[in-house]
Amino acid sequence: MVSLPPNLMQGIFLVQSGRKVEALAYLRHAARTEPVGPEGWLWLAAATDDLEEYRYCVQMALQLDRAHAVARQMRDDLARRGIPVDLPPDNGAGIGVAERSLPYRGTRRRRILLAVMVLLLLAAVLGVIYVVTMTDVLSDAVDEVDQALSGTETTIRVGSAPSFRFRVDLPESWMAADEDSGGWQSTRTALEDDFPAPGEGGGVLEQVDESFSAVTRDPVYGAVQPNVRLVNTDRVALAAEGMVATLTLQEILPLPEVDAGEDPTVCNRLGVLQRRSQDDAATDGSEVIASGLIERDLPQDCVFFVHRRFPIDSFDQNVFLLDPDRAPEAMRAIAIVVPVGAERYALWWLTYADEAAEAYQDTLDGILETLEYVPDA
């Protein structure tokens, strides 16, 4: 009898016992670290309630075994629901662990990107009247054609097939660091002239931006790859603080289940995250400044945050120092969690220099009050 890897074995046992929520953690970890094979991917599909994750698992199983009868039946069921499972041409090669973090690839993705960008451009044109007469909102970061984010309310779209749209109020000096945007490119070039890289090599601002339209969400682990950022472009602040202040989207994950007997509202499910954060003792040398669950529009609209102070060299996310020789000694990092529909949440990080904490308080308050997921109409 073939022995299964330990996490896969435990996950299968929990699914068979009807404990799918507990099984997910084991099966997702197994998919990332163990040779699960097509059967393992199908067990993960059986455990998840996330349709996107289910489709991805079926795709992975078929990439490993195109003739797998159960996987083919699951693919056909998805097709009848209007959810295609496309596979790359069969060249006789399997898929390796290193490829699992890149679920959307090839010409299909490019076609989808092109179609999405065309639709977004049309939507932006139709929305001009509303933008001019009602708000300063830009249609989204992908469609900012050669212009900076000039209003206080900013809407961005990241990724494609599926894409995620968020809206937030920010000071006018903040911009989406989208390398597809002409406005951002010209601003970045001007900033690089003011803040040249010390020594040889490119400046730190070259590391800040990404192509928002090329971003994907790993359907199994939730990571937004690569991270997307909104950044403060104010020259005075950059010179004084020595680092680039950023608001970064890092992950989109399933909401946890509530305790037995508790009403499973979005806000209550975010409350589970709040309790978990309080139970976790800080082991990274940080100081907790504040934390809490803010109820904005019950029962579905809440935001959870943890505000911490870190030594500049101990924060484990990207920190963009303009000149390492003039780096601040400490920084603020605020984890901000907002709902994404009824089943997921997005993890954002707001980071800035510790000495500028008072200057960023209004920015933080505005983000906590307004950062939200915007479903497509």
Side-chain angles (χ1 to χ4, degrees):
M1 179 176 179
V2 177
S3 177
L4 296 175
N7 288 289
L8 178 59
M9 181 183 299
Q10 180 65 16
I12 293 173
F13 169 76
L14 291 170
V15 173
Q16 292 173 329
S17 302
R19 297 154 63 185
K20 291 185 177 181
V21 174
E22 297 175 63
L24 278 173
Y26 288 97
L27 293 171
R28 286 170 176 158
H29 186 66
R32 186 175 185 178
T33 62
E34 298 175 348
V36 298
E39 299 293 342
W41 285 107
L42 295 181
W43 278 110
L44 177 53
T48 185
D49 292 327
D50 187 318
L51 185 57
E52 178 193 346
E53 185 176 19
Y54 180 93
R55 185 206 63 80
Y56 178 67
C57 291
V58 174
Q59 175 181 310
M60 293 298 296
L62 286 170
Q63 285 190 11
L64 292 170
D65 183 356
R66 290 172 182 266
H68 197 288
V70 175
R72 290 169 68 92
Q73 180 180 349
M74 294 165 75
R75 179 198 61 188
D76 294 342
D77 289 340
L78 286 170
R80 282 191 289 271
R81 299 167 65 182
I83 305 171
V85 178
D86 294 334
L87 298 175
D90 188 359
N91 58 7
I95 183 167
V97 173
E99 293 178 290
R100 293 180 185 169
S101 62
L102 302 172
Y104 306 109
R105 306 174 66 170
T107 57
R108 177 175 177 267
R109 177 183 171 188
R110 288 193 290 272
R111 290 196 299 269
I112 293 173
L113 284 175
L114 180 60
V116 169
M117 293 187 71
V118 169
L119 290 174
L120 291 177
L121 183 57
L122 290 174
V125 172
L126 294 175
V128 165
I129 295 176
Y130 175 78
V131 172
V132 171
T133 58
M134 299 296 293
T135 73
D136 291 322
V137 180
L138 297 179
S139 60
D140 58 53
V142 174
D143 296 318
E144 333 162 319
V145 181
D146 296 327
Q147 59 182 312
L149 298 178
S150 58
T152 58
E153 186 174 83
T154 300
T155 302
I156 64 169
R157 183 187 297 272
V158 296
S160 62
S163 61
F164 295 90
R165 193 156 51 111
F166 294 91
R167 180 169 54 222
V168 63
D169 283 2
L170 287 168
E172 292 185 1
S173 61
W174 285 69
M175 292 186 67
D178 181 3
E179 67 180 21
D180 299 328
S181 162
W184 163 253
Q185 290 289 353
S186 60
T187 299
R188 192 192 77 175
T189 299
L191 289 175
E192 288 173 338
D193 291 339
D194 291 343
F195 302 98
E200 299 180 357
V204 67
L205 290 167
E206 294 182 7
Q207 305 168 25
V208 173
D209 61 8
E210 300 289 350
S211 171
F212 280 22
S213 62
V215 169
T216 62
R217 171 187 175 266
D218 187 315
V220 177
Y221 316 114
V224 174
Q225 302 170 329
N227 297 162
V228 297
R229 303 176 184 87
L230 296 99
V231 303
N232 186 7
T233 64
D234 183 83
R235 288 170 171 77
V236 175
L238 291 170
E241 297 160 21
M243 64 177 288
V244 182
T246 63
L247 178 62
T248 302
L249 174 60
Q250 184 181 39
E251 295 176 311
I252 299 176
L253 300 166
L255 283 164
E257 298 298 324
V258 298
D259 296 333
E262 188 175 7
D263 189 8
T265 65
V266 168
C267 292
N268 284 343
R269 295 172 77 177
L270 281 183
V272 176
L273 294 176
Q274 179 188 19
R275 292 191 292 272
R276 289 178 182 175
S277 72
Q278 293 170 343
D279 293 339
D280 293 338
T283 59
D284 49 18
S286 68
E287 171 192 358
V288 176
I289 305 297
S291 68
L293 180 67
I294 300 173
E295 300 172 346
R296 300 189 296 195
D297 184 13
L298 292 173
Q300 301 298 332
D301 185 16
C302 297
V303 59
F304 168 60
F305 76 100
V306 180
H307 183 167
R308 290 193 286 176
R309 180 181 184 273
F310 283 83
I312 197 66
D313 57 353
S314 68
F315 186 57
D316 61 2
Q317 308 297 330
N318 288 328
V319 179
F320 301 98
L321 303 177
L322 293 169
D323 185 349
D325 294 332
R326 297 188 298 108
E329 293 183 1
M331 60 175 288
R332 297 294 179 94
I334 301 92
I336 302 170
V337 173
V338 296
V340 176
E343 296 298 330
R344 300 181 184 138
Y345 69 89
L347 173 61
W348 293 77
W349 284 96
L350 175 66
T351 57
Y352 49 81
D354 179 55
E355 62 188 30
E358 184 175 351
Y360 281 99
Q361 187 59 52
D362 287 344
T363 301
L364 172 58
D365 291 343
I367 293 171
L368 294 179
E369 290 172 3
T370 64
L371 179 58
E372 62 178 348
Y373 166 69
V374 184
D376 288 326

